[in-house]
Amino acid sequence: MTGPHPASPADRPAWDLRACYRRGELSPSEVVDAVLRRIEAVEPQVRAYLYLDADAARREAAQWDRAAGAEDAPPLAGVPVALKDNLCTRGVPTTAGSRILEGFRPPYDATVVTRLRRAGAIVLGKTNCDEFAMGSSTENSAFGPTRNPWDPDRVPGGSSGGSAAAVAAGEATLALGSDTGGSIREPGAFCGVVGLKPTYGRVSRYGLIAFASSLDQIGPLAQDVRDAALLLREIAGRDPADATSAEVEVPDYPTLLTGRVAGLRLGVVREFLEGGLDPGVADAVGEAIRALERSGARRVDVSLPHAPYALPAYYIVAPAEASSNLARYAGVLYGHRTAQATDLIGMYARTRNEGFGAEVKRRIMLGTYALSAGYYDAFYLRAQRVRELIRREFVQALEDVDVLVGPVSPTPAFPLGERVEDPLEMYLADVFTVPLNLAGLPGVSVPCGFAGDLPIGLQIAGRAFGEATVLNTAYALERALAAPARRPRVVAAAERRSSPA
Amino acid sequence: MSGSAAVGVYETVIGLEVHVQLSTQSKMFCGCACTFGAPPNTLTCPVCLGLPGALPVLNRKAVELGVRAALVLNCTVRPESRFHRKNYYYPDIPKDYQISQYQYTGHPPLATDGALALEAGGGTRRVGIRRVHLEEDTGKLVHAGGRSLVDYNRSGMPLMEIVSEPDLRSPEEARLFLTRLRAVLQYAGVTTGRMEEGTLRCDANVSLREPGGPHGIRTEIKNMNSLRSVERALRFEEARQRDLVARGAAVVQETRHWDEARGLTFSSREKEEAQDYRYFPEPDLLPVCVDAAWIERIRRDIPELPEARRRRFVETHGLPEHDAGLLTETRPMAEFFEETVRLFGHPKTVANWLVGDIAAYMNAAGVEIEEIAVRPAALAGLLTLIDRGTISGRSAKEVLDEMLRTGRTADEIVRERGLVQISDTDELARLVDAAIAENPGPVGDVKAGKDRAVTFLVGQVMKKSRGRANPEMVNRLLRDRIGAS
Ligand SMILES: [Zn+2]
């Protein structure tokens, strides 16, 4: 961030830290200390973390203090990162926000974690999320909600709410989230940070606790587009341990950020601007589109008539896969096991009843029903056909335009508790993000202004493995808007408390 | 078979579902080794333990062996097949779903529509193979001390299921089919096919029908652990169903378990149709694509099949058809034969011992050639002792018997028991003279030209020598001495 305030190292992006390390202006220890101080200051309000190992972070930072400034230092040397708690970390608690995995310590690292460590990143801890990534507000976490740093009475979005809030509040320089129906992009938008869902197959899912295998992707949450590009480059690429990871070359994303969008065909999706859109969101998105046009992009109006069917199709496919993926949490090998059971069926039933929260149970039941004999054709198979229609429609639209744009979510961050009793209302938060998961295409959420005090995000979608174009468009917008930097309310308050001027 | 004449017109209809463990180095979806008998839960990893976040990666070698099996069974290999999840809860299946190739519209299994030829009753019968598909094995529950423990070593082992058409008409034919199928798969290097280790398992569907009529209600028979028990179980089930029909009672569609000790099948009281496995395509795996070029490469690598080896044994070793057939019935037997011949030569002699004494022992003990204590080198050692005249053929049988029981070598046994053949003329002469003195009657018969009496006298000498005398020398000495006296 290049705002007017004297930036704390906790608020500097990773690319800037790297430059500071090179010049000897900062050390990883100073950065980690600043981030830990920030965590101490804001965490009582934000509650972004489920697990934090400050000592380990300090130790790792000290190990990088000499080497991080070297010419040949790995790309994320000495950069503090946070991991969504559905990413397996060896020997470190990994709960996916669920009571049923309380105390579970995986014996292995997810591929993305291995890659981050190899890139020199310092893992601070594990961030809060909706249970098994099922939710849009992080209120479904078994361990209590995370709050939005811009307004602690509001949700940070979800399911990667902890990761988004941590980056927004300077509690981590970078974070990883996962996105099954919008779980990176929506919290990115709500917390005013950049969130990218890569193309399905771009990033290995090995070690990501599965929600819906055919939709899940891991992606970056970052303070700006350059950082998102940097982090994506480090985690992307074929992994022999994930059969669905693609054998597609990984471009050097950060160097492809030119900010030039002259002649870029900007597909504005009509269905994404119709009805139910919060006026603040509509204004910010409209302004963002005009800003890109001023930079030379050419607006093309696009219609995706099947897009409105994405949400219902998603709520068949995702729960169906989840009902199978979550079957293993049955008290046999790991995680919670009931103390009450006298027989096998009883053990399964009680363990799962005690261990799972309401939303997870709801989706397991939905999915089980959708896959049941006699219903399979009417639900699962039909949803898969709709999914294929949507995919084809998006792919076709992207033959005529270079990117598709629209709002990330119909509203800004909503008040805590507002939608917990109304799942359908909650599901609507993902109405614009879900289609990309069904289509397997990449999409980024980039801050594009405010509605009152609340950040708004623009969604930019692209072709399969077209992350470079998506990111560059976001980068152009970031530069075009160049809004006077605002600070999340909890951060500003914490800074005021710590510097009694 | 019981029942009235009317029941006699029913024919038995049998179809087999055979599971074999593929002979790969590693499991179906992870890198863990496929070793039999390792300590519990030592061959496991996040994938085959179904840990959160772990993902399956298909073992290419398993596909290759599956295609190989499909080719030797004359199946059509599908260019694209898919894996599905079979969802059910049980502690031996760590993900609570099994990854398997399940057939439904649009998603065929690895291969379909094959056949296996059986030589039976002088003719050749063609038994249809409906499908060949791949799946992963489950772990194993161990009940001990009132507790249930799980060993996941077997979890994720690569399995292939072969489903026959209901073309088999008798328990004997079912056994013959299974024997033949096992041989073909063993030869092709697809599986070790050992029922006692569980690398070959077989379930059967049995029903009765009037010839040409519709199939009757079928029962599924499980828990048959040897070729012999397959035949026995099916024989029992066939009789049971015929008896029901004869009494006008209905056969109930159900799963029945074979009880080897009691020699009967009993209802396992599992409700058919009650299980809804909620199959759906496995999203963690890509479709299995097998193109023509790959199939050709696999075809080229198929080792010699039983039929070809049988012909070779007849042509190059000069074995009788019958012996060649028996020796090629299983791949381990054929290899045992060839290895012994390589060490000793004399293929016909080797064949005689294998299809004679050794086969008799295997039958009596109910074991396979690879389980007997004698290896080819040991058999060659024994045959060498006979060939050199160190021991008599009669002692050799005794020695082999002990070799089979103890696993010791022929040399050791011969030395210890003092079985070395007596070919020393002086010693033999003493024994012969004693026999002549003790048996004046037969000696007179010999002199009177009754040649049969010589045989009796040779027997007496052999008895005195405890079988160690060289019978030819004894014969000659007897004739010399009696003629000279
Ligand atoms: Zn394994």
Side-chain angles (χ1 to χ4, degrees), chain A residues 313 316-317 320 367-387, chain B residues 84 102-107 276 278-281:
Chain A
I316 299 292
V317 174
T368 303
Y369 187 81
L371 290 176
S372 295
Y375 299 100
Y376 181 86
D377 288 5
F379 292 102
Y380 183 79
L381 220 52
R382 181 179 295 186
Q384 287 292 14
R385 283 197 209 104
V386 171
R387 177 181 188 175
Chain B
H84 287 75
Y102 169 73
Q103 185 180 26
Y104 75 85
T105 327
H107 290 309
D276 179 358
R278 291 176 286 120
Y279 288 99
F280 74 105

Side-chain angles (χ1 to χ4, degrees), chain A residues 355-419:
Chain A
F356 288 139
E359 182 61 25
V360 171
K361 287 175 186 165
R362 177 161 30 240
R363 296 200 197 187
I364 288 174
M365 284 189 277
L366 270 175
T368 303
Y369 187 81
L371 290 176
S372 295
Y375 299 100
Y376 181 86
D377 288 5
F379 292 102
Y380 183 79
L381 220 52
R382 181 179 295 186
Q384 287 292 14
R385 283 197 209 104
V386 171
R387 177 181 188 175
E388 179 56 19
L389 281 177
I390 290 169
R391 191 191 66 80
R392 256 186 271 166
E393 201 166 88
F394 271 78
V395 167
Q396 222 152 49
L398 282 160
E399 282 170 13
D400 300 326
V401 299
D402 297 302
V403 292
L404 295 167
V405 297
V408 173
S409 193
T411 69
F414 44 86
L416 244 84
E418 187 187 79
R419 301 188 186 184

Side-chain angles (χ1 to χ4, degrees), chain B residues 27 29-33 43-49 155:
Chain B
K27 293 185 180 180
F29 298 116
C30 63
C32 292
L43 306 174
T44 59
C45 73
V47 176
C48 56
L49 287 177
S155 168

Side-chain angles (χ1 to χ4, degrees), chain A residues 88 104 107-108 200 205-209 213-214 240-244 321 323-325 327-330 332-334 344 348 352 368 371-373 376 380, chain B residues 46-47 49-58 84-85 87 89-92 94-97 104 150 152 276-286:
Chain A
C88 285
F104 174 62
Y108 74 104
Y200 187 77
R205 293 183 294 116
Y206 190 78
L208 166 65
I209 295 181
S213 314
S214 74
D242 176 3
T244 64
E321 292 181 10
S323 72
S324 175
N325 282 333
R328 68 188 67 185
Y329 308 107
V332 176
L333 256 172
Y334 42 76
L344 184 63
Y348 287 153
R352 291 165 70 77
T368 303
L371 290 176
S372 295
Y376 181 86
Y380 183 79
Chain B
V47 176
L49 287 177
L51 292 193
L55 295 172
V57 174
L58 179 58
H84 287 75
R85 290 188 186 176
N87 294 284
Y89 285 86
Y90 208 63
D92 67 2
K95 302 184 296 296
D96 288 305
Y97 59 79
Y104 75 85
V150 199
Y152 290 104
D276 179 358
Y277 292 115
R278 291 176 286 120
Y279 288 99
F280 74 105
E282 166 58 277
D284 288 329
L285 291 168
L286 304 179

Side-chain angles (χ1 to χ4, degrees), chain A residues 19-301:
Chain A
C20 290
Y21 294 158
R22 284 266 166 86
R23 295 193 298 265
E25 293 169 12
L26 273 176
S27 72
S29 285
E30 289 171 295
V31 172
V32 165
D33 281 341
V35 170
L36 290 173
R37 273 199 307 279
R38 175 67 60 77
I39 289 171
E40 206 173 309
V42 304
E43 191 61 1
Q45 270 184 292
V46 178
R47 298 193 177 279
Y49 283 94
L50 290 178
Y51 178 85
L52 183 76
D53 193 341
D55 292 338
R58 284 197 192 94
R59 273 198 309 275
E60 280 180 54
Q63 280 164 13
W64 279 115
D65 276 346
R66 288 172 58 126
E71 199 62 45
D72 58 355
L76 296 176
V79 175
V81 301
L83 303 172
K84 187 176 181 178
D85 201 34
N86 60 356
L87 295 169
C88 285
T89 39
R90 188 170 54 218
V92 174
T94 302
T95 67
S98 182
R99 193 68 70 196
I100 213 160
L101 278 177
E102 202 168 3
F104 174 62
R105 290 169 187 257
Y108 74 104
D109 273 335
T111 298
V112 288
V113 176
T114 306
R115 289 189 177 180
L116 283 188
R117 291 194 201 282
R118 203 182 305 146
I122 296 167
V123 174
L124 293 167
K126 309 296 288 289
T127 58
N128 199 11
C129 57
D130 288 298
E131 185 175 5
F132 287 102
M134 296 178 186
S136 310
S137 68
T138 314
E139 290 165 295
N140 294 334
S141 168
F143 308 106
T146 295
R147 289 161 182 267
N148 194 315
W150 294 88
D151 178 352
D153 292 330
R154 290 177 183 264
V155 302
S159 64
S160 311
S163 284
V167 172
E171 296 184 79
T173 304
L174 296 168
L176 287 182
S178 69
D179 190 315
T180 307
S183 282
I184 290 173
R185 290 160 289 164
E186 188 244 18
F190 283 11
C191 291
V193 298
V194 176
L196 175 78
K197 181 203 91 77
T199 310
Y200 187 77
R202 176 76 292 181
V203 178
S204 167
R205 293 183 294 116
Y206 190 78
L208 166 65
I209 295 181
F211 160 13
S213 314
S214 74
L215 301 159
D216 296 341
Q217 267 295 289
I218 299 166
L221 286 141
Q223 294 171 24
D224 62 18
V225 174
R226 181 170 296 281
D227 262 16
L230 183 64
L231 184 48
L232 178 63
R233 185 187 66 194
E234 297 312 313
I235 60 171
R238 165 80 185 152
D239 174 15
D242 176 3
T244 64
S245 73
E247 193 90 62
V248 178
E249 205 191 322
V250 180
D252 185 8
Y253 297 113
T255 64
L256 296 173
L257 299 176
T258 61
R260 282 194 302 273
V261 289
L264 184 90
R265 292 166 302 172
L266 198 66
V268 179
V269 183
R270 189 169 72 206
E271 285 76 9
F272 288 178
L273 296 172
E274 282 170 349
L277 211 54
D278 177 278
V281 172
D283 287 351
V285 167
E287 181 48 45
I289 292 169
R290 282 190 293 279
L292 282 169
E293 284 185 81
R294 283 196 297 276
S295 305
R298 196 150 52 76
R299 175 183 173 132
V300 181
D301 286 307

